[in-house]
Amino acid sequence: MLSKKTQYALKALGYLAGKYGQGPVLISEISIEKKIPIKFLETILLELKQANILESKKGKGGGYYIAENPKKISLARAIRVVGGPIALLPCVSLNFYEKCLDCDEATCGLNKAMALTRDATLKILEKKTLAELIDG
Amino acid sequence: MLSKKTQYALKALGYLAGKYGQGPVLISEISIEKKIPIKFLETILLELKQANILESKKGKGGGYYIAENPKKISLARAIRVVGGPIALLPCVSLNFYEKCLDCDEATCGLNKAMALTRDATLKILEKKTLAELIDG
DNA sequence: ACAGCAGTCTACTGATACAATAGACTTAAA
DNA sequence: TTTAAGTCTATTGTATCAGTAGACTGCTGT
């Protein structure tokens, strides 16, 4: 299951994708439209900015906007930034790998099965982009 | 990510699958062989029994054993018993479905993407069985 | 019958991560 | 120079995860 935080992030990104090219969008606007607690949303957007998915402008007329064409940003990338690993086990994670303590990966059936599901999941999440989160 | 509990469950089931047809196996044996805290393992095995994946025998010569041929029990079934949903969002879960509060599933791009990943994941986890978790 | 083995059950505890909140600070535009 | 907006630090409540303790029940062999 994706965490609430990750779900909020994806909803916010979908909203911003729909406004791509139209200048900065207020945190408060996203918060109201997408029903996300504003203070929580602040921290999420900041993380996405630090990962170069979003950019921001301070002061009057400021707000957040997507840093590059939404079609160039995959869901996998966004999920990793706010939600961590996509794989079901650390020993099959590409970006957050940790070795299994008590099994040999070459012969572990569980490892094989989970590596397959990781591949299947990534095939979709690397392909889908923020542009496909736009409403309607 | 699968919880520690789910990982322990799958490791224990793999061990039991390797001993299928050889009578009851002690909790303590599984605990030592698979390096799982014994008290934690107790609760996990009990859950698996209540879901009819395992059976048990009390007293001397007792222990746990798999209830039916390991080839008949999918990883998806086992994971659902101890770990809950496989889908990444409640609104695309088949067994633990919850409606999204603020989006229309028919038009929600996120819903579509997550439904696809659920299908891809299940295709693998419904097919893989406990028999494939046997070591070596 | 009973001794001891092994699973069952109830209850609790500590740690961690998730979710959310408060308030002071910085930057930029009008 | 006032005001709007994002930024940062810090704290809090809550739930779930992970693990522990100990008493109880049922089975088997002697």
Side-chain angles (χ1 to χ4, degrees):
Chain A
M1 278 296 210
L2 298 179
S3 66
K4 212 90 183 167
K5 185 177 172 187
T6 308
Q7 293 177 44
Y8 288 158
L10 292 174
K11 297 226 166 182
L13 287 169
Y15 188 77
L16 288 172
K19 303 239 168 181
Y20 180 65
Q22 300 175 33
V25 179
L26 295 183
I27 298 180
S28 59
E29 177 182 339
I30 305 170
S31 166
I32 291 166
E33 290 298 321
K34 289 297 174 181
K35 300 196 179 66
I36 304 171
I38 191 163
K39 279 301 201 174
F40 199 11
L41 181 57
E42 277 181 16
T43 68
I44 295 167
L45 296 178
L46 207 48
E47 270 186 66
L48 289 166
K49 181 191 172 179
Q50 281 154 4
N52 300 311
I53 289 176
L54 295 181
E55 287 178 4
S56 68
K57 211 184 153 192
K58 281 189 178 181
K60 199 164 199 173
Y64 277 97
Y65 49 98
I66 296 184
E68 46 185 319
N69 193 314
K71 288 180 186 167
K72 294 276 179 70
I73 303 175
S74 73
L75 297 190
R77 183 175 159 203
I79 289 172
R80 283 183 178 126
V81 168
V82 294
I86 289 170
L88 290 175
L89 290 179
C91 63
V92 297
S93 172
L94 298 175
N95 290 258
F96 299 84
Y97 175 80
E98 280 174 51
K99 200 183 168 336
C100 251
L101 293 175
D102 55 337
C103 78
D104 174 18
E105 287 175 25
T107 61
C108 177
L110 187 54
N111 185 287
K112 280 199 193 70
M114 292 306 157
L116 281 177
T117 70
R118 178 206 60 204
D119 289 341
T121 302
L122 279 183
K123 195 173 167 187
I124 295 164
L125 294 181
E126 298 278 18
K127 197 166 189 174
K128 289 268 177 186
T129 71
L130 298 189
E132 283 156 285
L133 298 184
I134 298 171
D135 290 348
Chain B
M1 278 294 208
L2 297 179
S3 66
K4 213 89 184 169
K5 185 177 171 187
T6 308
Q7 294 178 43
Y8 287 157
L10 293 173
K11 297 226 167 182
L13 287 169
Y15 188 77
L16 288 172
K19 304 239 169 181
Y20 181 65
Q22 300 176 34
V25 180
L26 295 182
I27 298 180
S28 58
E29 179 182 338
I30 305 170
S31 166
I32 291 166
E33 290 298 320
K34 288 298 174 179
K35 302 195 178 65
I36 303 171
I38 189 163
K39 279 300 201 175
F40 200 10
L41 181 57
E42 276 181 17
T43 68
I44 294 167
L45 296 178
L46 207 48
E47 270 186 67
L48 290 167
K49 181 192 172 181
Q50 280 153 6
N52 300 310
I53 289 177
L54 295 181
E55 287 178 3
S56 68
K57 212 185 152 189
K58 282 186 177 181
K60 198 165 200 173
Y64 277 98
Y65 49 98
I66 296 184
E68 45 185 319
N69 193 314
K71 288 181 186 167
K72 293 276 180 71
I73 303 175
S74 72
L75 297 190
R77 183 175 160 204
I79 290 171
R80 283 183 178 127
V81 167
V82 294
I86 289 170
L88 291 175
L89 290 180
C91 64
V92 297
S93 172
L94 297 176
N95 290 258
F96 299 84
Y97 175 79
E98 279 174 52
K99 198 183 171 338
C100 254
L101 294 177
D102 55 338
C103 77
D104 175 18
E105 287 175 25
T107 61
C108 177
L110 186 54
N111 185 287
K112 280 198 193 70
M114 294 305 158
L116 281 177
T117 70
R118 177 206 61 202
D119 290 340
T121 302
L122 278 184
K123 195 172 167 187
I124 295 164
L125 294 182
E126 296 279 18
K127 197 166 189 173
K128 290 269 177 185
T129 72
L130 299 189
E132 283 155 288
L133 298 184
I134 298 171
D135 291 346

